Amino acid sequence: MHVVATAGHVDHGKSTLVRALTGMEPDRWAEERRRGMTIDLGFAWTALPSGATIAFVDVPGHERFVPNMLAGVGPVPAALVVVAADEGWMPQSAEHLAALHALEVSYGLLVVTRADLADPAAATEAARAEIAATSLGEVEAVAVSALTGDGLPALRAALDRLVARVPAPVVDGPVRLWVDRSFTVRGSGTVVTGTLGGGRLRVGDQLALADTGELVRVRGLHRLGEARDRVDAVARVAVNLRGVPKDRLARGDALLTPGRFRRTDLVDVRLAGDPAADLPATLTLHVGAAAVPVRVRPLGVDTVRLRLARPLPLLIGDRALLRDPGRHHVAGGVTVLDVDPPPLTRRGAAVARAGVLAGLDGRPDLAGELRRRSLARAGELTRMGVTVTAEPVAGDWLADPDHWRRLGDRLVEETTRYAREHPLEPGVPVEVLRRRLDLPDRALVAALVRPPLSLRAGRVATAPADTLPELVAGAVRRVHAEYARHPFRAPEADRLAALGLGPREIGAAVRAGALLKLTENVVLLPGAVDDAVRVLAGLPQPFTLSAARQALDTTRRVAVPLLELLDRRGATRRLPDDAREVVTPPS
């Protein structure tokens, strides 16, 4: 199936032409038929000589209804430019053509109607000259009379040649169906219609509402008036949604493949049309079937930042147009360069941003996005329209390779600096490093750790865990020397202080395995536990606290917490009469 939109001045016979080609009435409203003027979008279809099916989106030509026209043209890949032989090129012909050019529609056909009323040669020549200067370029022209039928066979053949040139759509990509109609059907509920420009829809599919992210289910599909289990792009499609009130969806809303689009109300774009400096502060952005007021901030000669009145599901590379509704003027087409731009808070930030945007062409580029963002989640890039092919560095985080290497160097520097400033701590807390490196996730810190760094118990260290500062190591050596012959006699608090072993130093020595801490002020040599079990195993079993104290040649201050430690480790067992026995004999 192929979809083509009409374009042209009011009363040049667009609807009459569609009616003659299809035998269907594109004007849906009684008011349209009464006045003989299209007000809203109309739809009709027919078979071409090749057997291909073509659907027409018939748009209004009056200047008051240009927003309706743009809603119909926005998602459509090709256009039928209609000019009347007896009137020639007219103001709305020019505005419609400007809209097609702004949207970069590059496939089209010129149809000169009412050839029975005037020689079509002059109108054809003038129209082709106007069209040739736009994205449509040189187009084939056909003169017809819908009244007499002259030229209709030639037009059908030309339409066959036109649709054969239109590139095949991407049917395995995500769905973004811009809604151009919403209504209810008795017994079915809410139905929305639109032009499916890419992807595939199936009955039972789950889609997301663009404005809220709410998930909805496809209850039924219709294409060309027939129920279908599946519809592939490009196609006019009607989607019956399960359990969605009619007033939840209107023209300009969209149905999306979940997780594949990012709603944004701030975009940086490149403008093709009026110079950025000449744009008014407010315009209307037309994209798909949506029309949203925007505030305009010029950045460079041809780049601007747009603040949207409501978020839209936009991708890098999207084409849209800016229009001044007060002047009935198409200000120009825009190409979306960034759907998640950085804030402009510092002096000179706008100029610097314009320099960055000058190097962008609107084509999603993974390496470029990572270079500009340094770090990004894979899912976020996908929702911007970027194809992700790189492996994450941690979780779903992707990193620019150069930035990642610099972060690794900084991690070593920060860890070394912290070790100098806090020599008694066993390393830098991961959260401290996350803040110092300005990283969004602790997992990135852990992923950066490489030798000679080590990660242990939530801290990053520059040296093995058993390495102590020399002052502490020297004090520990003196404890070992003084108590080697009496390993169960713990130094008193004043002796520890005299040796330079305060609470922080003792903590560092305990973490390094150089001392064994029984209580706040009781420390022993690290082998005391195994040695104590061997001594106690030589006593008659069971034994008392007094017997243990004498055998260990120590005081009650040390014996009580030491035996309690042995109980907790399962080396000894405390009996009901407070005696103990060795459970684990020494090896």
Side-chain angles (χ1 to χ4, degrees), residues 446-526:
L448 284 166
V449 175
R450 299 285 188 276
L453 303 183
S454 61
L455 176 63
R456 181 179 179 183
R459 289 177 179 261
V460 178
T462 58
D466 57 356
T467 300
L468 287 171
E470 181 53 37
L471 288 176
V472 179
V476 169
R477 285 194 295 271
R478 293 190 63 180
V479 171
H480 280 239
E482 292 181 11
Y483 293 89
R485 297 183 61 184
H486 303 281
F488 304 110
R489 293 185 185 179
E492 298 290 340
D494 57 351
R495 182 54 184 158
L496 290 173
L499 292 172
L501 293 174
R504 295 177 62 209
E505 291 78 7
I506 290 172
V510 170
R511 287 190 295 269
L515 290 176
L516 172 66
K517 185 176 181 180
L518 296 182
T519 65
E520 190 62 32
N521 292 313
V522 178
V523 294
L524 297 176
L525 302 181

Side-chain angles (χ1 to χ4, degrees), residues 53-324:
T53 299
I54 186 168
F56 296 98
V57 179
D58 187 34
V59 306
H62 197 283
E63 66 178 5
R64 285 168 29 196
F65 306 119
V66 168
N68 291 353
M69 173 266 179
L70 294 172
V73 170
V76 174
L80 210 63
V81 182
V82 178
V83 178
D86 58 335
E87 290 191 356
W89 198 253
M90 296 291 281
Q92 285 311 115
S93 307
E95 185 170 9
H96 283 204
L97 181 62
L100 295 173
H101 176 63
L103 294 170
E104 283 194 339
V105 177
S106 53
Y107 299 92
L109 185 64
L110 170 63
V111 182
V112 180
T113 58
R114 302 212 291 255
D116 56 314
L117 299 181
D119 185 345
T124 300
E125 182 179 357
R128 291 189 72 176
E130 296 283 349
I131 294 170
T134 69
S135 59
L136 288 167
E138 296 288 343
V139 296
E140 185 177 357
V142 181
V144 304
S145 169
L147 181 64
T148 67
D150 288 346
L152 290 180
L155 175 56
R156 290 189 175 93
L159 285 168
D160 249 334
R161 290 189 290 273
L162 170 65
V163 298
R165 293 191 296 114
V166 176
V170 178
V171 296
D172 58 352
V175 167
R176 178 175 51 177
L177 181 70
W178 294 102
V179 174
D180 52 39
R181 289 180 64 205
S182 177
F183 53 92
T184 58
V185 175
R186 186 182 298 273
S188 296
T190 298
V191 176
V192 299
T193 67
T195 299
L196 182 64
R200 174 182 291 126
L201 286 172
R202 297 183 181 86
V203 173
D205 278 355
Q206 197 173 58
L207 299 173
L209 303 184
D211 62 339
T212 63
E214 177 187 351
L215 298 179
V216 297
R217 188 76 64 179
V218 176
R219 181 178 181 180
L221 294 170
H222 277 73
R223 192 193 77 162
L224 306 183
E226 296 181 356
R228 303 276 180 152
D229 291 330
R230 188 186 86 181
V231 176
D232 293 350
V234 171
R236 286 294 306 172
V237 62
V239 184
N240 180 203
L241 298 173
R242 188 184 305 277
V244 180
K246 173 181 177 294
D247 57 7
R248 290 292 303 280
L249 289 165
R251 177 171 293 171
D253 290 329
L255 298 175
L256 312 172
T257 298
R260 294 299 301 271
F261 294 87
R262 186 181 194 278
R263 295 172 64 246
T264 179
D265 63 357
L266 190 69
V267 292
D268 287 347
V269 303
R270 172 160 289 112
L271 176 69
D274 296 350
D278 295 344
L279 295 179
T282 58
L283 290 168
T284 298
L285 179 73
H286 294 266
V287 57
V292 178
V294 296
R295 294 193 62 82
V296 180
R297 177 176 182 177
L299 298 175
V301 175
D302 63 348
T303 53
V304 298
R305 175 160 291 187
L306 303 178
R307 173 72 69 176
L308 283 63
R310 65 180 176 91
L312 291 177
L314 300 180
L315 300 172
I316 296 171
D318 275 345
R319 287 290 302 184
L321 70 83
L322 290 172
R323 184 173 182 266
D324 187 343

